[in-house]
């Protein structure tokens, strides 16, 4: 197969026989030559990809990619087209790349397919095509004569970036989008609020960022063995995105056919919001006026009050969120909500009696009344979003008390479950008729350690190597081959940032494992135990590591971390290994999310 180092692997690559004209068009070999006289001919609907190609390839190659009518006699044509027949055969994001002497044509099922084909073209041109300026002396860039037919396995190919715990400036988010596009990932789940920080400007609630966007200090590392001293960075940490920043991010993503899904966490993970507006908390159970933005990691006990004024507050917040983010999907968290304050609050207990009178009265067989409150929160906002043409997404705890217990009418119609505690939540949701995004922490939480050795920086969670991630299977075995399999929209790899204090650390945790994940959601791979891991590692070594280097990614080398990537003396929170990923392990949380 020509150029066997493509990542993610395409459905098919067919080499073409040499043509006699190739000597005239390309000099010393068959195929297409991108040169100073090459014409870029953009058909209807492909102007965005043409702009992207000129914005990336022209700086890297020094080639102008001329408009039609501006070429020399032998420049060749790079043609971009859409074709419904490609969409019918390969899906709307599918494409065909056909390279021969004098012509390279990318035909997509839709403009998105054309863009993914252009990403493949960039890989075919070599690592130097990923530079921001020309570094090579040659004027001609060759693509072998070949035909590639390709299209994704899943519609949701996602990556979560947590900017609440450690803020990432806007340029870092834009760079992340470029890295996602290079791997044909099409969803950026932006985790904007949490106990430790509120990052999105809400104009009619300015204290959310003025107060909630700054914490006094930060824990360094995690818990460690008993007796491990706690380490602190005593500097204040903060940051926010203005609404114009976020509109820019959304537009930049859209140009790359990536959807940005915002997350505003409720009713737990909300201490930063309560610190800014104490009336949001359980004021009859705790002195919320004394609360500050949380400086520790883990799960804060301070949660939103189950009150009408809190619903109105967050409706106002979400009205501004919807103006910024056109995504059909809006993530509202719904996870890790401790119930102690609700049980201690007279007003919360009164609400429990309204929602689950049998449980609140202690009758045998009654559901947990506090679970009814969480179901009430999520049902309210699921309906609120649905009335505005949007769909709620929540972590798999949104099943607790609602779908499972029959409280508060269950989940809103159209709600999507992010199955993070394993596969069990995804299986239950799919069987109940809800769409699912699989992101089990046991397999695709990228903040977890990449090796069991002592050199691994801040050893969090499970050991999940590049090979382990490559064996991730998005469809749980309980759903495979059943009608509910279609409920699996796709999967997502999550990068939580408690222990990744800067973009360099985020790079280390994310790559190269995100490349392996990208192939699991794009390519038609066999069952996990039959995947050719050695072939994938060869493709990484033969080409993709060089692409990452050209993009300036500080990835983890195959042989272990560089000296500057280590964090000696900083404790993590390692977890014992779960079941084999080949079997789709999961089905239960080991405790609070290591996120």
């Amino acid at each position: 197969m020509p150029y066997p180092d493509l990542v993610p692997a395409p459905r098919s690559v067919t080499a073409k026989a040499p043509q006699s004209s190739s000597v005239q068009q390309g000099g010393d070999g068959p195929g297409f030559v991108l040169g100073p006289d090459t014409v870029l001919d953009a058909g209807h609907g492909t102007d965005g990809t043409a702009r992207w190609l000129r914005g990336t390839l022209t700086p890297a190659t020094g080639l102008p990619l001329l408009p039609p009518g501006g070429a020399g006699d032998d420049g060749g044509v790079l043609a971009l087209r859409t074709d419904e027949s490609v969409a019918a055969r390969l899906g709307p994001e599918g494409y065909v790349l056909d390279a021969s002497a004098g012509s390279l044509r990318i035909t997509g099922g839709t403009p998105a397919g054309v863009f993914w084909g252009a990403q493949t073209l960039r890989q075919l041109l070599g690592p130097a095509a990923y530079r921001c300026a020309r570094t090579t002396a040659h004027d001609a860039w060759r693509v072998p004569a070949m035909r590639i037919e390709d299209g994704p396995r899943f519609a949701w190919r996602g990556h979560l970036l947590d900017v609440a715990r450690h803020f990432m400036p806007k340029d870092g988010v834009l760079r992340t989008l470029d890295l996602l596009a290079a791997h044909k990932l099409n969803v950026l789940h932006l985790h904007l609020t949490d106990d430790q920080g509120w990052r999105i400007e809400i104009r009619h609630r300015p204290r959310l960022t003025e107060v909630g966007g700054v914490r006094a200090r930060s824990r360094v590392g995690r818990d460690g063995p008993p007796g491990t001293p706690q380490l602190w960075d005593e500097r204040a940490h903060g940051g926010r995105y203005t609404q114009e920043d976020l509109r820019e991010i959304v537009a930049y993503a859209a140009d790359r056919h990536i959807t940005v899904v915002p997350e505003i966490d409720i009713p737990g993970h909300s201490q930063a919001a309560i610190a800014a507006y104490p009336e949001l908390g359980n004021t009859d159970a705790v002195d919320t006026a004394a609360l500050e933005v949380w400086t520790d990691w883990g799960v804060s006990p301070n949660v939103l009050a189950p009150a009408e004024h809190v619903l109105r507050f967050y409706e106002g917040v979400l009205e501004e969120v919807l103006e910024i983010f056109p995504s059909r999907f809006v993530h509202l968290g719904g996870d890790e909500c401790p119930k102690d304050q609700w049980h201690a609050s007279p007003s919360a207990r009164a609400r429990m009696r309204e929602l689950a009178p049998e449980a609140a009265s202690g009758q045998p067989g009654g559901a947990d009344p506090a679970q009814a409150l969480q179901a009430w929160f999520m049902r309210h906002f699921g309906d609120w979003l649905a009335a505005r043409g949007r769909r709620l997404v929540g972590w798999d705890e949104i099943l607790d008390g609602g779908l499972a217990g029959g409280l508060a009418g269950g989940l809103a119609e159209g709600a999507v479950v992010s199955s993070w505690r394993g596969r069990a939540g995804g299986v239950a949701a799919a069987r109940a008729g809800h769409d699912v995004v699989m992101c089990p922490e046991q397999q695709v939480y990228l903040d977890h350690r990449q090796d069991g050795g002592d050199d691994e920086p801040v050893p969090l969670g499970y050991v999940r190597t590049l090979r382990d991630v490559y064996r991730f299977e998005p469809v749980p075995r309980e759903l495979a081959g059943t009608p509910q399999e279609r409920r699996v929209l796709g999967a997502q790899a999550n990068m939580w940032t408690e222990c990744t204090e800067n973009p360099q650390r985020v790079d280390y945790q994310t790559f190269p494992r995100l490349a392996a994940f990208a192939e699991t959601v794009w390519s038609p791979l066999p069952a996990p135990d039959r995947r050719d891991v050695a072939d994938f590692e060869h493709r990484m070594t033969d080409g993709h590591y060089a692409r990452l280097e050209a993009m300036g990614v500080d990835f983890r080398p195959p042989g272990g971390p560089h000296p500057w990537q280590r964090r000696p003396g900083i404790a993590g929170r390692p977890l014992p290994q779960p079941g084999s990923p080949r079997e789709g392990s999961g089905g239960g949380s080991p405790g609070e999310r290591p996120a």
Side-chain angles (χ1 to χ4, degrees), residues 68 184 291 435 440 547 576:
K184 298 185 174 73
L291 294 178
D435 289 340
R547 297 182 193 116

Side-chain angles (χ1 to χ4, degrees), residues 464-481:
R464 277 296 170 253
T465 66
L466 183 69
R467 288 185 164 216
D468 292 329
V469 175
Y470 190 69
R471 292 188 178 108
F472 168 60
E473 171 50 47
V475 177
R477 62 174 180 265
E478 297 92 333
L479 301 179

Side-chain angles (χ1 to χ4, degrees), residues 530-571:
R530 294 192 292 111
R531 291 181 187 171
D532 192 343
V533 178
D535 171 74
F536 174 74
E537 291 178 331
H538 286 315
R539 282 184 282 126
M540 293 295 295
T541 300
D542 291 346
H544 204 64
Y545 284 124
R547 297 182 193 116
L548 294 176
E549 286 178 348
M551 288 186 283
V553 177
D554 196 32
F555 60 87
R556 182 188 190 276
H562 293 297
W564 64 84
Q565 294 172 325
R566 299 168 187 159
R567 295 291 186 274
I570 298 179

Side-chain angles (χ1 to χ4, degrees), residues 394-464:
W395 302 109
D396 55 52
E397 286 96 328
I398 67 175
L399 297 170
D400 300 345
L403 186 152
L407 300 171
L411 297 183
E413 185 176 355
V416 178
V417 172
S418 298
S419 188
W420 77 272
R421 291 180 293 179
R423 66 170 182 262
V427 171
R431 287 174 173 169
H434 291 282
D435 289 340
V436 176
V437 175
M438 297 301 297
C439 47
E441 67 165 343
Q442 295 87 347
Q443 293 171 261
V444 290
Y445 266 37
L446 300 182
D447 56 322
H448 287 205
R449 54 198 168 131
Q450 302 186 62
D451 188 85
D454 293 337
D455 285 341
E456 207 62 29
V458 197
L460 288 176
Y462 306 114
V463 173
R464 277 296 170 253

Side-chain angles (χ1 to χ4, degrees), residues 22-104:
S22 64
V23 174
Q24 297 177 357
Q25 296 288 348
D28 59 359
F32 177 75
V33 176
L34 195 71
D37 294 324
T38 298
V39 167
L40 177 54
D41 180 9
H44 178 71
T46 69
D47 289 345
T49 297
R51 286 193 300 272
W52 179 83
L53 281 168
R54 288 193 174 100
T56 55
L57 294 189
T58 295
T61 64
L63 304 177
L65 299 178
L66 300 167
D73 294 336
D74 299 322
V77 176
L78 170 56
L80 309 177
R81 297 290 187 270
T82 59
D83 190 323
E84 291 180 356
S85 67
V86 173
R89 192 159 50 87
L90 299 172
E93 294 183 273
Y95 67 91
V96 176
L97 186 153
D98 202 314
S100 57
S103 172
L104 191 149

Side-chain angles (χ1 to χ4, degrees), residues 179-422:
L179 292 170
L180 298 189
H183 293 84
K184 298 185 174 73
L185 298 173
N186 67 345
V187 175
L188 174 63
H189 174 169
L190 205 53
H191 184 75
L192 290 162
T193 74
D194 216 296
D195 297 311
Q196 298 88 356
W198 184 287
R199 306 297 173 209
I200 174 174
E201 175 192 27
I202 301 299
R203 289 175 176 166
H204 81 288
R205 299 292 188 182
R207 288 175 58 84
L208 286 171
T209 47
E210 292 171 358
V211 175
V214 182
R215 64 173 178 267
R217 62 177 186 167
S218 303
R219 272 285 298 276
V220 176
R222 288 299 300 257
D223 310 332
T228 302
Q230 292 187 358
L231 301 177
W232 294 91
D233 181 343
E234 296 293 346
R235 298 172 297 176
H237 180 84
R240 64 155 190 171
Y241 305 108
T242 67
Q243 294 196 4
E244 286 305 298
D245 289 337
L246 291 167
R247 288 188 177 94
E248 179 184 356
I249 288 168
V250 167
Y252 193 85
D255 286 344
R256 287 148 182 78
H257 297 276
I258 297 172
T259 298
V260 181
V261 175
E263 182 179 357
I264 307 296
D265 237 325
I266 61 170
H269 286 290
S270 298
Q271 183 164 328
I274 297 169
Y277 292 93
E279 65 271 22
L280 297 175
N282 295 278
T283 56
D284 55 353
V286 64
D287 180 10
T288 59
L291 294 178
E292 299 179 344
V293 177
W294 208 30
T295 58
D296 210 342
W297 309 132
V299 181
S300 167
N302 296 295
V303 302
L304 299 176
E308 294 294 332
H309 73 274
V310 175
L311 300 184
R312 302 291 88 76
F313 183 100
Y314 274 85
E315 288 171 359
V317 167
L318 289 173
E319 284 173 356
E320 295 194 28
V321 170
L322 298 192
E323 289 176 359
I324 300 167
F325 296 93
S327 166
R328 289 175 58 212
F329 302 96
V330 177
H331 206 296
L332 295 184
D335 61 316
E336 297 180 326
C337 179
K339 310 298 191 296
D340 294 347
Q341 289 185 4
W342 287 350
H343 285 295
S345 162
S347 59
R349 291 199 305 271
R351 180 75 68 179
M352 292 180 201
R353 289 191 291 271
E354 293 176 21
L355 298 174
E358 290 186 0
S361 63
Q363 296 182 25
D368 179 357
Q371 294 288 12
L373 294 187
Q374 183 155 338
W376 172 77
F377 259 106
M378 304 314 294
R379 176 74 197 205
H380 173 85
F381 284 106
D383 291 342
W384 188 92
L385 288 171
R388 289 154 180 81
R390 308 297 183 97
R391 296 178 66 181
L392 177 143
V393 190
W395 302 109
D396 55 52
E397 286 96 328
I398 67 175
L399 297 170
D400 300 345
L403 186 152
L407 300 171
L411 297 183
E413 185 176 355
V416 178
V417 172
S418 298
S419 188
W420 77 272
R421 291 180 293 179

Side-chain angles (χ1 to χ4, degrees), residues 473-523:
E473 171 50 47
V475 177
R477 62 174 180 265
E478 297 92 333
L479 301 179
T482 73
Q484 290 77 34
E485 180 177 350
R486 65 183 178 84
R487 290 291 183 182
V488 180
L489 300 179
Q492 183 169 283
N494 295 345
M495 182 61 243
W496 303 99
T497 62
E498 286 97 327
C499 298
T500 50
E501 70 280 1
N502 56 44
Q504 188 178 32
R505 281 283 293 122
V506 173
D507 275 4
Y508 177 88
Q509 292 298 135
T510 304
F511 290 99
R513 291 184 296 179
L514 191 66
F517 170 80
E519 190 151 313
T520 70
V521 290
W522 178 276
S523 305

